[in-house]
Amino acid sequence: MRIPKTWVSLITKKVVDGIISKQLITPRIPIEQLLSNTEELIMDELMAEDRLNDEVREMLKKHNSEIERGKVDYRKLFDLTKQKIVKERNLIL
């Protein structure tokens, strides 16, 4: 995650306050619940890249011997694999 987790609640409050003040939504649930649900969604989206990085690391373990022998640059292979998955899944990071 590229931002500290402590910022997520602040960002959530700003986003929710902004869309309510612009009357884009009318909350039908208590504001505390709306903030909690929104924070959970934002956190899940922010963690998407972390989950992808873990998945790529697992995939590259299969090629560990080649990487250790120096036949393949791990960083380059990691980036290429990640880019390929992002493109295949139409992810926005």
Side-chain angles (χ1 to χ4, degrees):
M1 194 160 68
R2 294 181 182 189
I3 63 169
K5 287 182 180 180
T6 55
W7 292 11
V8 175
S9 61
L10 299 171
I11 293 169
T12 300
K13 181 150 178 45
K14 190 150 182 104
V15 168
V16 170
D17 287 347
I19 59 176
I20 290 173
S21 70
K22 291 180 182 176
Q23 299 179 343
L24 297 174
I25 63 166
T26 303
R28 295 182 183 168
I29 58 175
I31 192 72
E32 295 80 20
Q33 186 179 354
L34 178 62
L35 286 169
S36 176
N37 293 351
T38 305
E39 185 174 334
E40 188 175 314
L41 287 171
I42 290 173
M43 185 65 88
D44 189 54
E45 286 298 317
L46 290 172
M47 299 291 290
E49 186 169 5
D50 292 343
R51 289 189 301 272
L52 177 61
N53 288 341
D54 290 343
E55 184 179 341
V56 172
R57 280 187 207 102
E58 276 301 312
M59 293 173 72
L60 295 182
K61 282 183 180 179
K62 296 175 188 172
H63 304 282
N64 205 23
S65 62
E66 293 174 29
I67 293 168
E68 286 178 357
R69 283 185 268 154
K71 290 185 176 181
V72 181
D73 177 9
Y74 181 83
R75 190 74 238 167
K76 191 172 185 176
L77 186 59
F78 183 92
D79 290 341
L80 289 172
T81 305
K82 185 174 174 179
Q83 287 173 5
K84 182 179 177 190
I85 293 172
V86 166
K87 188 175 180 179
E88 286 175 356
R89 297 179 186 171
N90 292 323
L91 298 175
I92 299 171
L93 302 178

